[in-house]
Amino acid sequence: MPLTLDDRKKMILKAVVDDYIATAEPVGSKSLVSRHQLPVSSATIRNEMAELEELGYLEQPHTSAGRVPSDKGYRTYVDELMEVETLPDDEARIIQDVLRANMAEVTGLIRSASSLLSEQTQYASLALSPKCCKNHLQQIKMLMIEPGRALVVVVLSAGLVKDRMVRIPEMLDSAQLMQIASAIEEGLQGMTLDDITLVAVSAAGKHTPLPDSLLNQVLYEAYVSIKQADNLEVYMAGSNKLLAYPEFADVARAKIALDTLAKEGMVAGYLSETREEADDSTYMIRIGQEIALAGLENCSFVTTTYKFGDTVAGRIGVIGPRRMSYAKVISNINFVRMNLNDQIRRLGAGID
Amino acid sequence: MPLTLDDRKKMILKAVVDDYIATAEPVGSKSLVSRHQLPVSSATIRNEMAELEELGYLEQPHTSAGRVPSDKGYRTYVDELMEVETLPDDEARIIQDVLRANMAEVTGLIRSASSLLSEQTQYASLALSPKCCKNHLQQIKMLMIEPGRALVVVVLSAGLVKDRMVRIPEMLDSAQLMQIASAIEEGLQGMTLDDITLVAVSAAGKHTPLPDSLLNQVLYEAYVSIKQADNLEVYMAGSNKLLAYPEFADVARAKIALDTLAKEGMVAGYLSETREEADDSTYMIRIGQEIALAGLENCSFVTTTYKFGDTVAGRIGVIGPRRMSYAKVISNINFVRMNLNDQIRRLGAGID
DNA sequence: TTTAGCACTCGTCGGTGTTGAGTGCTAAAG
DNA sequence: CTTTAGCACTCAACACCGACGAGTGCTAAA
C-alpha cells in the first residue's frame, strides 16, 4: 500500500473535494469526468475512487451514491492539493479600511477583525482576546468616581488596557487612592502577570501610610483587576450564518452545534490549548473529528495567530461546515492576519 | 356582536391558549374537555370555538384541525385571562444571588440580568443599555497611557461610567491632559448630554493655555467619547435556545428570525421607539404581527423598563415564540425588574 | 491498463390507501 | 332556547408501492 498517492489519484481527490465543496452533494464518477473534462472514462474514475475509499480518503453515504471526502481526504486536500487564491482587490480593500478605522484600541481591532472574517467568508468567526503569560504590568491607575467607587485601569505591556469598576472604603479620598496605585505600580513594576500574587500586591501596597483596614480591600480589588486583565475572552460573530448550509438543515443538529459554540468557555479553552502546535505554519486547520468538541463533528476550524511584537498573543479564525471553502477562508485569514499584526504594531509604536 | 366575551367563552379561550402553549399542537374540542374536565360536551365546545373563531380569537391551520390562538386571542389572554404565578423560591433565590454578585457596575449588572432571564425562561433575552436623554455629564477624566494614547473616562449622572481609548498628540504630557480634562469638566458641569455639542466642548477647553494645534484633536476625542457614552447598546443572550421550539423546526424560518435578531441595531431601534407607551403598566407585551419587524411574525416580546432613580433608563426583556409561557416569563421579568432597580439604587447610593 | 457493457443498489419522487383527530350539521333531548 | 349524541365529511400524517435515475462493482474485450 503506497504511503503517498500517485498523481492521478491526487488529481481525482482534489476534484472530488472541489466539487463537494461547491455542491454539497456526493460526487459520482460520471459527473466528475464531465465537470472536469477528464481524459479518462468514468469507469477508470470508478476504480480509482474505489481505491481512494479503501485508503480512507473518501466515503460513501450509502452504496450507489457518489463519494464524499472523509476527514483524511479533507486533510490531504488542505495540506497538499488545494490552490489558495489571492484575495480579490475589493475584498482586500474592505478589510484594510475597516481595520484602519478601528485602530484606536486593541480589543476593538480584534473584534472588528473577527466580524470582518465572518462577513467576508459567510461562516462564523471567533477570536480570542490577547493573552500572553509573558505580559508585564506596566501601569495601574485608580480613578475615584465617587466616594466608595473607583475605576481601576490596568495597562499591560504592548499597550493592552483593561479597566474595572470596584468598591472601595468610603473614607478614602482621591489623593490617597492615587497614592496606593502608585505604590502598587512601583512595587510590581515589570513583573510578569503570572508572578503577581495577592501577597506581592499587598507587600507593594503596604508602603503607603494608611491603616490596614482601609488598604486591604483596595489591594484585593487591585489584585483581582490585574488578574482579570489577562482573562481569556472570546468574541464570536455570525454563528447564525451557519444555518444557511445544508449540513445544518436539520434543526436538531444545528442546535447542538450552535449550543456548543455558545458555550464560549469551551471553545476558548479548546483553542487556547492548541496554542503551541503548528507555530511555524501561519494557520492551523482542524477538520471534523480532529476537533475534540462534541457537537462540532462536521465542522472545521481554520485559525491563525496574531502577535504583539514578536510573541503570539491570541488566535483568530473561522468556524464553518467541514465542507467549507478552505481556499477562500485561508486567503481571507492570511490577509486579515497580516493587516491585524500590522495595525497592532503601529498601535504599539504610536503611529497613526 | 358582543364587545366582551361571556364567561364561558373566556374560559374556553383561556383553556385553548393554555393547552396550545403547553403542547404546541392545535387543540381540538374533544381533547379540551378531557384535559380540563369541562362540565359540557365536546359538541358545545365546538360551537363555542366556531364562534370564537368568527370573532377572531382563534384560527384553524386547516379544516379539520384543532384551533390555534390568533394574535387577538393571545392579546386577550395576556390582558385578561392569564394567571401570573409568583416565582418559585429557588428561582427567586438564584436571581437575587446572581444580581447581588454583579453589582460593582451597572453595565455588568444589566448584562447579567439579561443572561438570567434567558437562563430561567429558556427563551432569548435582551437588554438595552441605559440611555436617558436627561443624563448629565458628571465627570470627565483623561488618563495618559503612553505618549500619544490616552484613556478618556466619562462619568454620567447615576454613576454610569464609560471609557474609550483615544490617540492624542505625542507632545502632550500627563499634567496637560489632566488640565484639559478638568477644564472640560468644569465648563460642561451639569449639562445634559443632548445639550453638549462640539462647540460647547471646544469653548470649555479653550480656557487651557495650550496651542490650538494640540488642543483640537483632544477636544474632538473628548466630544466623541461623551457622545458615545450615551450610545444605545444591546445585550442579547440565548438566541440559539429558540431552535428548541417546534415553531423553528424549519431551518429557513429559524434563520430568518435569528438573522433579524442578530441585527442588533434593528431590535434596539424598535424597542427604544416603544419607550413612551405603556409606562404605567410594569411590562409591555408585543405579540406576533404587533412586532413590526420582518422575520419575527411568530415571536413575542415581553419587556419591562428599569430605572435610574425615578427616570426610565432602559428596557430588558425576553423574546420567544408567540406561543410562549407568558405567565412564567412575566413572573420572572417582574422579579428581575424589582431586583435590578433595587441594585441600581443601592449602587447609586453607595450601599454595599 | 483502460473502457464498454451490464446487472445491481438505493434514495428520491409521485401516487394511493388508511388512519385518526378534528370539524360542521342535524335532530332529538333537557 | 341550549345542550348533546350521532353522523358524514375533511385533511394531515403515515406507510406502502413502483418507476426513475444516478451511482456502483464486476467482467470481458480492446
Side-chain angles (χ1 to χ4, degrees):
Chain A
M1 198 177 296
L3 276 175
T4 175
L5 302 174
D6 63 51
D7 282 355
R8 195 169 65 182
K9 282 208 180 54
K10 281 185 182 170
M11 207 253 157
I12 292 171
L13 179 55
K14 175 175 181 309
V16 171
V17 179
D18 277 337
D19 277 18
Y20 188 60
I21 286 175
T23 67
E25 265 161 29
V27 357
S29 53
K30 211 165 176 179
S31 57
L32 201 68
V33 291
S34 73
R35 246 173 166 277
H36 296 259
Q37 287 135 351
L38 301 182
V40 291
S41 80
S42 63
T44 311
I45 302 296
R46 273 202 292 285
N47 291 331
E48 293 283 50
M49 295 215 297
E51 282 184 61
L52 280 170
E53 184 174 354
E54 208 163 325
L55 295 170
Y57 295 94
L58 296 179
E59 285 168 357
Q60 249 179 327
H62 55 268
T63 343
S64 95
R67 301 306 209 291
V68 159
S70 67
D71 283 356
K72 188 176 174 187
Y74 281 117
R75 178 89 275 162
T76 46
Y77 175 80
V78 300
D79 284 348
E80 305 177 30
L81 307 176
M82 147 184 86
E83 299 151 9
V84 176
E85 317 146 11
T86 57
L87 205 61
D89 280 355
D90 51 336
E91 291 184 26
R93 184 167 213 101
I94 293 175
I95 293 172
Q96 283 178 324
D97 289 352
V98 173
L99 288 187
R100 213 166 274 162
N102 278 284
M103 70 168 292
E105 184 229 358
V106 184
T107 309
L109 194 59
I110 288 160
R111 213 184 276 265
S112 56
S114 173
S115 315
L116 266 173
L117 275 181
S118 171
E119 204 51 49
Q120 296 290 320
T121 62
Q122 290 294 310
Y123 300 117
S125 73
L126 90 182
L128 295 189
S129 64
K131 176 180 174 69
C132 177
C133 46
K134 282 164 278 168
N135 249 341
H136 291 223
L137 179 69
Q138 224 171 52
Q139 293 182 42
I140 180 167
K141 299 273 184 250
M142 298 191 191
L143 207 59
M144 184 80 131
I145 299 300
E146 63 185 17
R149 284 172 80 213
L151 187 74
V152 182
V153 181
V154 176
V155 184
L156 306 182
S157 52
L160 193 62
V161 180
K162 291 264 179 126
D163 53 51
R164 176 167 170 267
M165 198 66 129
V166 302
R167 314 205 130 261
I168 54 171
E170 300 232 1
M171 306 84 145
L172 274 176
D173 64 30
S174 195
Q176 291 171 317
L177 202 59
M178 284 178 63
Q179 216 178 342
I180 300 175
S182 352
I184 299 176
E185 189 176 305
E186 231 166 280
L188 303 181
Q189 192 65 263
M191 276 180 84
T192 75
L193 284 184
D194 285 349
D195 292 343
I196 294 177
T197 59
L198 181 51
V199 178
V201 175
S202 298
K206 297 284 164 164
H207 294 176
T208 339
L210 287 170
D212 275 10
S213 57
L214 286 182
L215 262 180
N216 281 336
Q217 189 184 349
V218 180
L219 293 177
Y220 176 70
E221 294 291 2
Y223 168 71
V224 173
S225 301
I226 292 170
K227 281 301 176 188
Q228 206 155 300
D230 201 35
N231 257 1
L232 204 54
E233 283 176 55
V234 192
Y235 320 120
M236 207 168 304
S239 56
N240 48 307
K241 291 208 177 74
L242 298 181
L243 293 178
Y245 300 97
E247 22 275 284
F248 297 102
D250 176 24
V251 194
R253 282 182 194 285
K255 181 167 195 313
I256 294 175
L258 290 196
D259 283 353
T260 309
L261 289 182
K263 288 175 198 146
E264 302 194 336
M266 281 189 57
V267 180
Y270 174 70
L271 279 187
S272 61
E273 276 171 26
T274 64
R275 186 172 293 231
E276 300 83 15
E277 328 168 23
D279 250 11
D280 47 339
S281 85
T282 60
Y283 48 83
M284 183 191 81
I285 301 183
R286 283 272 176 284
I287 296 163
Q289 303 278 2
E290 297 173 7
I291 309 172
L293 293 178
L296 301 181
E297 292 81 7
N298 43 38
C299 292
S300 285
F301 283 67
V302 180
T303 64
T304 189
T305 56
Y306 61 86
K307 294 183 177 181
F308 273 29
D310 48 3
T311 62
V312 170
R315 301 202 79 90
I316 180 167
V318 168
I319 307 170
R322 208 160 46 143
R323 177 192 66 80
M324 80 161 83
S325 177
Y326 293 95
K328 184 180 179 177
V329 168
I330 288 169
S331 57
N332 269 284
I333 283 192
N334 275 341
F335 192 79
V336 166
R337 167 198 160 90
M338 269 176 40
N339 277 266
L340 185 56
N341 281 335
D342 221 52
Q343 299 292 351
I344 293 175
R345 198 169 337 108
R346 280 160 182 255
L347 217 161
I351 306 166
D352 201 346
Chain B
M1 197 178 296
L3 274 175
T4 175
L5 301 174
D6 64 51
D7 281 356
R8 194 169 65 182
K9 282 208 179 56
K10 280 185 183 171
M11 206 255 159
I12 292 172
L13 179 56
K14 175 173 182 310
V16 170
V17 178
D18 277 338
D19 277 19
Y20 188 60
I21 286 175
T23 66
E25 265 161 29
V27 357
S29 52
K30 211 166 178 178
S31 57
L32 202 69
V33 291
S34 74
R35 249 173 164 275
H36 297 260
Q37 286 135 350
L38 300 183
V40 291
S41 81
S42 64
T44 310
I45 302 295
R46 272 203 291 284
N47 291 330
E48 293 284 49
M49 295 216 297
E51 281 185 61
L52 280 169
E53 184 175 352
E54 208 162 325
L55 294 170
Y57 294 93
L58 296 179
E59 284 168 359
Q60 250 179 326
H62 55 267
T63 341
S64 95
R67 300 307 207 292
V68 159
S70 66
D71 283 356
K72 188 177 173 186
Y74 282 117
R75 179 88 275 165
T76 46
Y77 176 81
V78 300
D79 285 347
E80 305 174 30
L81 308 175
M82 145 185 87
E83 299 151 10
V84 176
E85 319 145 9
T86 58
L87 205 63
D89 279 356
D90 52 336
E91 291 186 25
R93 183 168 214 99
I94 293 175
I95 292 173
Q96 282 178 325
D97 289 353
V98 173
L99 288 186
R100 214 166 274 163
N102 278 283
M103 71 167 292
E105 185 230 357
V106 183
T107 308
L109 194 57
I110 288 161
R111 215 184 277 263
S112 57
S114 173
S115 314
L116 266 174
L117 275 181
S118 170
E119 206 50 49
Q120 296 290 319
T121 62
Q122 290 294 308
Y123 299 117
S125 72
L126 90 182
L128 294 190
S129 64
K131 177 182 174 67
C132 177
C133 45
K134 282 165 275 168
N135 249 341
H136 290 223
L137 179 69
Q138 222 170 55
Q139 292 181 43
I140 179 167
K141 300 270 184 252
M142 297 190 192
L143 206 60
M144 186 80 133
I145 299 301
E146 62 185 17
R149 283 172 83 211
L151 188 73
V152 181
V153 181
V154 176
V155 183
L156 306 182
S157 51
L160 193 63
V161 180
K162 292 266 178 123
D163 52 48
R164 177 168 170 264
M165 197 67 126
V166 301
R167 316 205 128 261
I168 53 171
E170 302 231 1
M171 307 82 146
L172 274 176
D173 64 29
S174 194
Q176 292 171 315
L177 202 59
M178 283 178 63
Q179 215 179 343
I180 299 176
S182 358
I184 298 176
E185 190 175 308
E186 230 167 281
L188 303 182
Q189 193 66 264
M191 278 178 83
T192 75
L193 284 184
D194 285 349
D195 292 342
I196 295 177
T197 59
L198 181 51
V199 178
V201 176
S202 297
K206 296 286 164 160
H207 294 176
T208 339
L210 287 170
D212 275 8
S213 57
L214 287 183
L215 262 179
N216 280 336
Q217 190 185 347
V218 180
L219 293 177
Y220 176 71
E221 294 291 2
Y223 168 73
V224 172
S225 302
I226 292 171
K227 282 301 175 186
Q228 207 156 299
D230 200 36
N231 256 2
L232 205 54
E233 281 175 58
V234 192
Y235 319 120
M236 206 168 305
S239 55
N240 48 307
K241 291 208 178 73
L242 297 182
L243 291 179
Y245 300 97
E247 22 277 284
F248 297 102
D250 175 25
V251 194
R253 284 182 193 285
K255 181 166 195 311
I256 294 176
L258 290 195
D259 282 353
T260 308
L261 289 182
K263 288 175 198 146
E264 303 194 333
M266 281 189 58
V267 180
Y270 174 71
L271 279 187
S272 60
E273 276 171 27
T274 65
R275 183 170 293 228
E276 300 83 15
E277 331 167 24
D279 250 11
D280 47 340
S281 85
T282 60
Y283 49 82
M284 184 191 81
I285 301 182
R286 283 271 177 285
I287 298 164
Q289 302 280 1
E290 297 173 6
I291 309 172
L293 293 178
L296 301 180
E297 292 81 6
N298 43 37
C299 292
S300 285
F301 283 69
V302 180
T303 64
T304 189
T305 56
Y306 60 85
K307 293 183 177 181
F308 273 30
D310 48 5
T311 62
V312 170
R315 302 202 79 91
I316 181 167
V318 168
I319 307 172
R322 208 162 43 145
R323 177 191 66 79
M324 80 162 81
S325 176
Y326 293 96
K328 184 180 179 179
V329 168
I330 288 170
S331 57
N332 270 283
I333 282 192
N334 274 341
F335 192 79
V336 166
R337 166 198 160 90
M338 269 175 42
N339 278 267
L340 185 57
N341 281 335
D342 222 51
Q343 299 292 352
I344 292 175
R345 198 171 336 108
R346 280 161 180 257
L347 217 160
I351 307 165
D352 200 346

